[in-house]
């Protein structure tokens, strides 16, 4: 990117303007800006949009601008979204923290592990957020929720031969909306009230069972 005097002057004006509107430290915003550009959002308008959303999320989510920038850019990149989606992404993350028992810092530390699996499966960020909020609200730690959710996605997306046969027999499948994205509520609804022994045959992973069972048992919360 162009680091001419004009570009630097514009950038320092932008940083000072965000600092004064958000009340965040200039040094913290400079670090966030550097990380945003490093994450591939190097177009001036894109990095400005992500920085502004990071500042808002940092204040609302009680975290640092750099941490907010980290989770926003990770989410955008992992889900294949561009900077114009940053406000929606920020809202989904904020809602996850508000409805779950987690913090923005905890999400920032572990969410990256689950997003590529969600993308491969066709689950959007709202679905991931709803899962994480439900799991953490039921007392599962954020790190454990991420591990369990990832295992659940793997078990559903790439079932073992015997699990797949059993799923076919029971008519259990990943339910999808018309646009191809995962219908999380519809999918988890199929596991409500299942016999634990049957559940074990369907989902061989203990981690995966934890996530699916918790969402099925806390179905109203999930909805």
């Amino acid at each position: 990117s162009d680091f001419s005097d004009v570009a630097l002057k514009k950038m320092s004006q932008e940083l000072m303007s965000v600092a004064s509107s958000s009340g965040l430290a200039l040094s913290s915003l400079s670090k966030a800006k550097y990380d945003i550009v490093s994450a591939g959002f190097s177009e001036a308008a894109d990095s400005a949009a992500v920085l502004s959303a990071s500042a808002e999320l940092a204040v609302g989510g009680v975290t640092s601008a750099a941490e907010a920038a980290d989770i926003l850019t990770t989410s955008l990149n992992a889900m294949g979204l561009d900077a114009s989606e940053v406000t929606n992404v920020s809202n989904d993350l904020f809602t996850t923290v508000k409805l779950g028992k987690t913090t923005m810092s905890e999400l920032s530390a572990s969410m990256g592990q689950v997003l590529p699996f969600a993308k491969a499966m066709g689950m959007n960020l709202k679905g991931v957020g709803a899962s994480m909020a439900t799991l953490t609200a039921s007392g599962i730690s954020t790190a454990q929720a991420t591990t369990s959710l990832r295992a659940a996605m793997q078990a559903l997306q790439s079932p073992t031969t015997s699990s797949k046969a059993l799923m076919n027999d029971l008519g259990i499948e990943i339910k999808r909306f018309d646009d191809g994205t995962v219908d999380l509520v519809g999918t988890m609804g199929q596991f409500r009230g299942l016999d634990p022994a049957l559940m074990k045959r369907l989902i061989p992973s203990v981690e995966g069972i934890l996530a699916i069972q918790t969402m099925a048992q806390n179905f109203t919360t999930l909805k």
Side-chain angles (χ1 to χ4, degrees):
S1 37
D2 173 23
F3 277 110
S4 62
D5 288 349
V6 179
L8 280 172
K9 195 170 176 192
K10 266 180 116 161
M11 193 189 288
S12 72
Q13 278 170 345
E14 178 200 347
L15 289 170
M16 286 197 290
S17 150
V18 176
S20 78
S21 65
S22 65
L24 296 168
L26 204 54
S27 58
S28 165
L29 290 167
S30 305
K31 161 106 173 68
K33 178 78 173 182
Y34 175 80
D35 293 345
I36 289 163
V37 173
S38 304
F41 299 92
S42 52
E43 292 288 320
D46 290 351
S47 68
V50 179
L51 182 70
S52 162
S54 301
E56 277 183 40
L57 187 61
V59 174
V62 197
T63 187
S64 70
E67 214 152 28
D70 179 52
I71 193 168
L72 285 176
T73 54
T74 297
S75 302
L76 289 166
N77 285 333
M79 300 307 270
L81 303 169
D82 59 40
S84 65
E85 296 279 349
V86 73
T87 308
N88 296 335
V89 168
S90 180
N91 289 341
D92 289 343
L93 292 168
F94 186 71
T95 307
T96 305
V97 169
K98 196 171 78 174
L99 300 180
K101 207 162 130 193
T102 183
T103 65
M104 206 57 74
S105 301
E106 287 172 323
L107 278 187
S108 176
S110 60
M111 205 94 140
Q113 297 168 26
V114 83
L115 292 176
F117 292 91
K119 174 82 167 77
M121 186 180 175
M123 194 192 292
N124 59 21
L125 199 59
K126 272 194 170 52
V128 177
S131 304
M132 290 297 290
T134 305
L135 294 175
T136 56
S138 76
I140 298 169
S141 75
T142 307
Q144 175 70 65
T146 318
T147 310
S148 300
L149 185 56
R150 188 177 62 190
M153 286 176 182
Q154 282 174 299
L156 290 172
Q157 178 80 340
S158 318
T160 61
T161 314
S162 60
S163 296
K164 195 177 172 133
L166 187 58
M167 276 186 199
N168 287 341
D169 288 349
L170 297 169
I172 291 177
E173 59 180 5
I174 297 175
K175 303 277 184 197
R176 296 186 186 275
F177 293 114
D178 292 343
D179 64 359
T181 56
V182 173
D183 171 2
L184 180 68
V185 171
T187 303
M188 289 305 144
Q190 304 170 106
F191 293 94
R192 289 172 80 189
L194 270 194
D195 177 64
L198 193 57
M199 184 71 126
K200 219 174 238 173
R201 285 172 60 203
L202 278 171
I203 311 290
S205 142
V206 178
E207 295 282 8
I209 288 177
L210 176 66
I212 292 174
Q213 222 161 26
T214 305
M215 285 192 270
Q217 283 167 354
N218 296 278
F219 196 65
T220 320
T221 311
L222 183 70
K223 277 210 296 213

